Amino acid sequence: MDKRMTAADLVGQLRDGMTIGIGGWGPRRKPMALVREILRSDLKDLTVVAYGGADVGMLCAAGKVRKLVYAFVSLDFIPLEPYFRKARQEGAVEVMEIDEGMLLLGLKAAAMGAPFIPTAVGLGTDVLRLNPELKLVASPYDDRRDWVAMPALKLDAALVHVDRADARGVCQIAGPDHYMDDLFVRAAAKAYVSCDELVDSAWFHADPARARQVFWERNRTSGVVHLPGGAHPSSCAPLYGFDTAHFKAYNASAAEPDGWQAYVERYVNCGEAEYLARVGGLDAIRELPLPVF
Amino acid sequence: MTATKQPYSLAELMICAASEAFVGDGEVLATGIGVLQRLAASLAMLNHNADLMMTDSEAFMVAEPVPLGPRGDYQPKFDSWMGFSRIFDNVWSGRRHALVGPVQIDRFGQANISCIGEHAKPRSQMLGVRGFPGNSISHANSFLVSSHNKRVFVEGEVDVVASVGYNPERLARGWSLDEIDIRLIVTDLCVLDFQGPGRQMRVRSLHPGVAVEDVQAATGFPLHLPERIPTTAAPTLEQLILIQQLDPHNLRASQLKDNPPGVRARATSH
């Protein structure tokens, strides 16, 4: 089975109003080339579910988002995401702000086909006051307690970036953490993957230990887009770190009167091949150092 | 222990005071989020609780705390994988103690890092609640606050309760305040805890040169003020040497404005 497609094909399969989950974490392994392709499209009214970074900030800045489901939006080394802040402070997007672990449980419930997962997380906090759709349920057992029923976060589509994939959709994440990408994929009706390297299936067979770096079954992968450097400016460890200078310039652009328009003109409207050239080329991306904490 | 003759910074005093939060914790995952917080947890692991567990702040559990910043030839000693999904598994087991830096704290110990103002249209959007709700209902938490003032220690409740506190109004059916475990709050003025009457926030120790009136004046609600309040212990020479090893690039010096000394002639007014 050959699931290869272009980024334009992929975005062509998305519809206005869809709920889209985006993998990665903050400035790490975000499918940024796919996000840029959405920015180039007419898609609108999206509900975005993410451990957010510049993916969320950019989609907000471009007016693509109706609702955000998040626990945080941050670039980590730049703690506050500038365009997300703007959107929030203008009251421009509807939000469901929940705990990081609740987001995990919501995706897991969707992946399990369960309507909710009971948890203590959220008890006593404003997460419940601010999200009245979150209900408490009485335990059916003898603990005599109320629990938070974290509802399934069903996704119409998930977008994730991986190190390597083959045409069948076997996906490898060699970095130190796969974050919750497996849960985003499992919670979604369709899961689309961009990959830094498209490999022949024999690549996986040559080193059986690598099979442990595959976190979902290929029958969950709906489409594969080969996009070298496709996580830039976020990281794709161990292939490359995040682009500190690029994020700083992006962050600074938010303080300029037409900063977002200038960013879009320079890095989005130019198309992906020209984007790679403008950020220094694939070789320069692959040289970006891995962050040290 | 060797009494320190050499001067120490306020940041170093706060690191040592916060490291005390982990005394007696046993085998829990100690997580310090922020430079001073991470140094405090790391110092605790080296200084008085070798059973603590810690991560490399990315995806692995390490056998000893990793020094901050560029490491030269140092190789972290990985014990096991500890990616984000597994962090939650550990959180929900209760075997963790997090030391974090909230933006607002109220008299109940409820804490906020989400936003300032109305949540629907905040005056200032910050991070979001992150993992605060889950941490606070699952395991021990301590706070480190770099600037003790009434904007942080607010008069009413915090704008967004991201972290559960000792507020009986907010308990769900069947739950008790005993399930909430807030240990220490270390600020640039003092160390606080919740061991006042009826879980009231109490001044546990005052940093050298700080008067109890300074602390109360910088706090938006009444604190429990015991008759005798000790002075926060000065760092020992051993602690200062360990901190230097854990922070070879002196990142701690840039965490507090103008890197003030640990012993102040008199406290700055707020």
Side-chain angles (χ1 to χ4, degrees):
Chain A
M1 195 182 255
D2 190 345
K3 297 174 183 169
R4 288 173 297 171
M5 56 170 61
T6 67
D9 292 339
L10 186 168
V11 172
Q13 294 191 9
L14 305 178
R15 295 286 171 263
D16 292 352
M18 272 190 169
T19 297
I20 297 184
I22 303 179
W25 181 283
R28 296 174 178 77
R29 235 188 49 260
K30 287 286 179 180
M32 294 306 295
L34 298 180
V35 169
R36 286 188 286 274
E37 195 62 28
I38 291 177
L39 297 178
R40 291 178 200 114
S41 77
D42 296 328
L43 270 184
K44 59 180 190 300
D45 293 332
L46 301 176
T47 292
V48 174
V49 181
Y51 293 100
D55 51 335
V56 168
M58 289 183 186
L59 291 168
C60 284
K64 300 291 188 192
V65 181
R66 187 180 63 78
K67 182 177 178 183
L68 281 176
V69 181
Y70 65 96
F72 64 84
V73 181
S74 171
L75 304 173
D76 281 23
F77 78 104
I78 301 172
L80 306 180
E81 213 292 341
Y83 291 104
F84 161 71
R85 296 193 86 197
K86 266 193 174 176
R88 285 284 289 128
Q89 291 168 194
E90 289 165 3
V93 289
E94 192 186 324
V95 298
M96 180 183 190
E97 182 177 313
I98 52 175
D99 174 88
E100 290 169 1
M102 290 175 98
L103 187 51
L104 178 158
L105 293 174
L107 295 172
K108 192 143 199 157
M112 291 161 61
F116 66 89
I117 291 179
T119 177
V121 181
L123 286 176
T125 72
D126 276 337
V127 165
L128 300 182
R129 178 178 66 86
L130 297 168
N131 300 294
E133 72 272 30
L134 297 180
K135 309 285 190 200
L136 292 179
V137 289
S139 173
Y141 300 106
D142 60 7
D143 56 283
R144 297 190 179 85
R145 287 181 166 189
D146 283 346
W147 294 81
V148 176
M150 179 59 211
L153 293 170
K154 290 185 193 167
L155 309 174
D156 295 308
L159 308 177
V160 301
H161 185 80
V162 302
D163 304 58
R164 287 172 195 86
D166 72 8
R168 301 172 303 162
V170 177
C171 298
Q172 182 219 25
I173 296 171
D177 203 335
H178 59 284
Y179 311 116
M180 313 305 152
D181 282 10
D182 52 339
L183 295 177
F184 279 96
V185 166
R186 293 181 192 284
K190 299 260 189 173
Y192 300 98
V193 170
S194 57
C195 59
D196 248 82
E197 292 175 14
L198 185 72
V199 295
D200 191 84
S201 300
W203 188 93
F204 291 101
H205 310 152
D207 185 356
R210 303 274 190 136
R212 296 197 62 173
Q213 298 173 337
V214 176
F215 297 95
W216 60 88
E217 305 72 59
R218 62 181 159 79
N219 63 6
R220 301 312 312 245
T221 309
S222 307
V224 176
V225 187
H226 184 209
L227 286 164
H232 184 276
S234 76
S235 60
C236 186
L239 294 173
Y240 45 92
F242 50 71
D243 191 334
T244 308
H246 189 97
F247 275 132
K248 282 184 178 168
Y250 164 77
N251 185 50
S253 75
E256 300 297 321
D258 291 313
W260 173 245
Q261 287 70 20
Y263 184 90
V264 169
E265 198 47 53
R266 175 144 184 81
Y267 293 116
V268 179
N269 292 347
C270 59
E272 202 55 25
E274 181 60 20
Y275 173 86
L276 283 182
R278 288 184 184 183
V279 299
L282 190 59
D283 290 344
I285 291 176
R286 295 277 164 93
E287 292 295 313
L288 288 167
L290 299 175
V292 172
F293 299 96
Chain B
M1 295 288 186
T2 313
T4 309
K5 294 263 172 32
Q6 68 200 88
Y8 53 88
S9 70
L10 180 56
E12 288 163 340
L13 179 76
M14 291 169 70
I15 291 165
C16 292
S19 77
E20 295 289 321
F22 299 95
V23 172
D25 270 356
E27 216 169 13
V28 304
L29 180 67
T31 306
I33 298 175
V35 167
L36 298 181
Q37 290 88 339
R38 182 167 149 199
L39 286 170
S42 299
L43 178 63
M45 189 173 178
L46 292 183
N47 197 37
H48 53 232
N49 184 355
D51 292 336
L52 285 177
M53 307 190 299
M54 199 166 291
T55 73
D56 65 344
S57 296
E58 191 148 26
F60 293 94
M61 205 141 66
V62 289
E64 63 186 21
V66 177
L68 270 66
R71 291 168 196 155
D73 294 333
Y74 178 83
Q75 291 287 333
K77 294 175 182 161
F78 291 161
D79 275 349
S80 67
W81 183 74
M82 197 73 197
F84 281 106
S85 58
R86 192 155 160 187
I87 290 276
F88 296 115
D89 292 334
N90 186 270
V91 164
W92 296 332
S93 81
R95 293 178 182 87
R96 188 191 193 214
H97 184 167
L99 174 64
V100 296
V103 178
Q104 290 181 324
I105 301 170
D106 62 27
R107 67 188 190 281
F108 302 113
Q110 298 177 136
N112 177 22
I113 49 166
S114 168
C115 68
I116 301 292
E118 265 303 304
H119 193 263
K121 193 179 175 187
R123 198 157 68 246
S124 177
Q125 173 65 44
M126 299 178 300
L127 292 166
V129 297
R130 289 215 78 148
F132 270 35
N135 292 350
S136 58
I137 196 71
S138 302
H139 57 64
N141 290 273
S142 292
F143 304 139
L144 187 147
V145 172
S146 56
S147 180
H148 190 141
N149 61 58
K150 288 183 170 175
R151 285 188 312 280
V152 177
F153 290 91
V154 297
E155 191 179 343
E157 288 190 66
V158 294
D159 291 358
V160 176
V161 176
S163 190
V164 191
Y166 299 112
N167 182 355
E169 298 287 304
R170 288 177 179 265
L171 282 180
R173 187 181 64 95
W175 296 80
S176 90
L177 293 178
D178 295 339
E179 270 139 325
I180 299 157
D181 187 1
I182 310 173
R183 301 278 179 86
L184 298 187
I185 306 178
V186 176
T187 79
D188 55 337
L189 298 181
C190 64
V191 180
L192 306 161
D193 61 27
F194 285 87
Q195 292 179 37
R199 293 192 169 90
Q200 188 184 8
M201 199 185 287
R202 172 184 82 158
V203 180
R204 184 184 177 99
S205 69
L206 292 163
H207 295 346
V210 178
V212 70
E213 296 78 20
D214 298 328
V215 174
Q216 183 59 75
T219 308
F221 48 85
L223 294 165
H224 178 66
L225 309 172
E227 242 172 74
R228 297 168 63 89
I229 304 175
T231 301
T232 308
T236 64
L237 186 58
E238 287 87 347
Q239 285 176 318
L240 290 176
I241 291 168
L242 289 174
I243 291 171
Q244 170 61 28
Q245 288 166 2
L246 289 165
D247 182 24
H249 307 288
N250 200 19
L251 300 180
R252 63 193 179 282
S254 54
Q255 297 301 304
L256 302 178
K257 191 178 181 310
D258 303 329
N259 193 26
V263 180
R264 281 167 292 188
R266 47 189 298 280
T268 48
S269 55
H270 287 262

